[in-house]
């Protein structure tokens, strides 16, 4: 009887030692030693030559390993450095700041929707995401590379036939616009999409509109619905498929040199001499960036896209 109890106790002790041994091996493999050390860690924002888009950032730090229970949020001035004493481990760090008409849920930025059902325009903002190790018993410097999360889209219509004075008003909407963007700088597939309104203004023979976007949604068409109001006759509404022209919109660099994506078209206006009425047509849609534009407002001919026939209602 005593022998049986002794054997059971010995067996239990052996099992406990085996479990502790396995945990110890896993811990040693992860951290290289049993005791975790702390290290001073300096955290700052790297704007990569850009001007800071906010005076302060929200910084969230969380441990990537189950033994590291750190998950903290703090505010850091955009040009300051925060010094923390962190345990040696790997950490996931996100940096972002508030922007007009944008909310953040911890992984995705979301555009707000206006009372008219259209996506509102975000202000320019940047964010950073990084997974970094903290090494023990040494100074650690974590520089968070801040990347733009928006890009400006500009549409320009150059009147090459007829007079721009024949146009009294323009109504325009663009569909297939991304309503969400991940903090890593991608537009998730199958994410929420929406429409935006483009407000055109006139400068000489050029009609132009600009709107800042989180991005162009993938898997859905981008269609420009344009209504021209004329000084006489009925308004004219056409819909143009701009999807092939916007395929590279989401590819832009941090330097800001390609921040503005331009689409330029030639607008021809025709006035009937037999009866009251005016009609217009847009040809030679040309994609590019602001640096591609020549003195006449046209992009380099090498980048010119084929003419896109309007989709009639």
């Amino acid at each position: 009887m005593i022998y049986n109890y002794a054997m059971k106790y010995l067996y239990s002790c052996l099992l406990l030692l085996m479990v502790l041994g396995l945990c110890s091996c896993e811990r040693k493999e992860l951290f290289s030693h049993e005791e975790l050390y702390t290290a001073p860690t300096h955290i700052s924002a790297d704007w990569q030559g850009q001007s800071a888009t906010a005076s302060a950032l929200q910084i969230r730090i969380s441990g990537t390993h189950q033994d590291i229970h750190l998950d903290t949020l703090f505010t850091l001035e955009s040009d300051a450095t925060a010094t923390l004493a962190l345990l040696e481990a790997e950490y996931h760090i996100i940096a972002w700041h508030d922007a007009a008409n944008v909310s953040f849920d911890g992984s995705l930025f979301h555009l707000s929707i206006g009372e008219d059902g259209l996506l509102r325009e975000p202000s320019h903002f940047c964010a950073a995401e990084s997974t970094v190790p903290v090494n023990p018993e040494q100074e650690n410097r974590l520089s968070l590379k801040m990347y733009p999360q928006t890009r400006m889209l500009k549409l320009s219509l150059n009147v090459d036939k007829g007079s721009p004075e024949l146009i009294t008003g323009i109504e325009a909407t663009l569909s297939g616009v991304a309503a969400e963007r991940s903090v890593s700088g991608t537009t998730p597939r199958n994410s929420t999409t929406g429409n935006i309104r483009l407000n055109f203004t006139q400068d000489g023979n050029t009609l132009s509109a600009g709107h800042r976007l989180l991005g162009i949604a993938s898997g859905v068409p981008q269609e420009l619905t344009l209504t021209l109001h004329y000084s006489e006759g009925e308004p004219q509404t056409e819909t143009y498929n701009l999807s092939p022209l916007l395929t590279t919109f989401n590819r832009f660099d941090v330097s800001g040199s390609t921040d503005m994506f331009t689409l330029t078209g030639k607008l021809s206006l025709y006035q009937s001499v037999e009866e009251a009425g005016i009609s217009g047509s847009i040809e030679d849609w040309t994609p590019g960036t602001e640096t591609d534009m020549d003195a006449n407002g046209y992009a380099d001919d090498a980048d010119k896209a084929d003419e896109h026939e309007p989709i009639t209602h």
Side-chain angles (χ1 to χ4, degrees):
M1 188 76 167
I2 295 176
Y3 174 79
N4 290 337
Y5 280 124
M7 291 302 294
K8 287 182 179 180
Y9 177 76
L10 180 60
Y11 181 69
S12 299
C13 290
L14 288 173
L15 283 178
L16 180 59
L17 288 173
M18 290 175 64
V19 171
L20 291 175
L22 289 174
C23 293
S24 176
C25 289
E26 180 186 359
R27 196 174 181 85
K28 285 183 178 180
E29 182 181 351
L30 178 64
F31 304 112
S32 77
H33 44 265
E34 293 185 9
E35 181 183 356
L36 295 181
Y37 299 112
T38 60
T41 304
H42 309 289
I43 301 173
S44 62
D46 178 5
W47 294 97
Q48 305 186 80
Q50 310 172 87
S51 297
T53 53
S55 59
L57 300 172
Q58 297 296 311
I59 310 291
R60 182 178 182 181
I61 303 178
S62 56
T64 63
H65 192 269
Q66 61 183 3
D67 285 349
I68 304 299
H69 302 295
L70 176 69
D71 191 345
T72 186
L73 176 67
F74 62 92
T75 300
L76 176 68
E77 292 186 4
S78 60
D79 58 351
T81 298
T83 300
L84 306 178
L86 297 178
L87 291 172
E88 55 166 308
E90 185 179 72
Y91 295 91
H92 182 227
I93 304 179
I94 300 175
W96 76 97
H97 63 82
D98 292 336
N101 300 320
V102 177
S103 61
F104 183 57
D105 64 7
S107 60
L108 290 177
F109 295 104
H110 302 270
L111 277 181
S112 60
I113 300 176
E115 294 180 357
D116 55 4
L118 300 176
L119 296 176
R120 292 180 173 176
E121 184 175 11
S123 59
H124 180 41
F125 70 99
C126 294
E129 181 181 40
S130 184
T131 300
V132 294
V134 168
N135 299 310
E137 300 181 310
Q138 68 179 54
E139 298 273 334
N140 291 270
R141 299 189 180 277
L142 307 181
S143 184
L144 304 175
K145 295 185 180 298
M146 304 297 295
Y147 287 97
Q149 301 295 311
T150 65
R151 189 177 192 181
M152 180 67 76
L153 172 65
K154 181 179 180 181
L155 270 63
S156 292
L157 302 177
N158 295 305
V159 180
D160 67 338
K161 291 181 181 179
S163 170
E165 303 302 324
L166 297 174
I167 298 176
T168 60
I170 300 178
E171 298 173 21
T173 58
L174 179 67
S175 66
V177 175
E180 300 172 339
R181 181 183 178 90
S182 71
V183 69
S184 60
T186 59
T187 302
R189 185 172 293 276
N190 301 322
S191 63
T192 304
T193 64
N195 300 345
I196 61 169
R197 175 177 287 112
L198 296 166
N199 297 313
F200 278 83
T201 59
Q202 181 181 344
D203 183 10
N205 284 352
T206 300
L207 305 169
S208 60
H211 198 100
R212 190 168 289 279
L213 311 177
L214 287 183
I216 293 298
S218 59
V220 296
Q222 285 73 50
E223 293 181 347
L224 172 67
T225 301
L226 193 69
T227 299
L228 299 178
H229 295 265
Y230 301 116
S231 57
E232 61 182 56
E234 298 296 320
Q236 178 187 2
T237 299
E238 305 286 357
T239 300
Y240 297 87
N241 180 14
L242 301 184
S243 304
L245 303 171
L246 294 170
T247 54
T248 61
F249 180 88
N250 293 346
R251 305 173 198 163
F252 55 101
D253 60 44
V254 72
S255 69
S257 61
T258 60
D259 175 50
M260 183 177 291
F261 187 98
T262 62
L263 276 181
T264 305
K266 294 180 180 180
L267 173 59
S268 299
L269 299 173
Y270 304 95
Q271 190 170 18
S272 175
V273 295
E274 299 178 354
E275 57 184 26
I278 304 170
S279 63
S281 64
I282 303 174
E283 301 177 347
D284 297 335
W285 283 109
T286 307
T289 63
E290 193 172 36
T291 54
D292 295 330
M293 306 300 287
D294 64 18
N296 296 319
Y298 292 100
D300 191 325
D301 288 341
D303 295 327
K304 187 171 293 183
D306 295 334
E307 177 183 343
H308 289 260
E309 294 296 330
I311 303 171
T312 55
H313 288 279

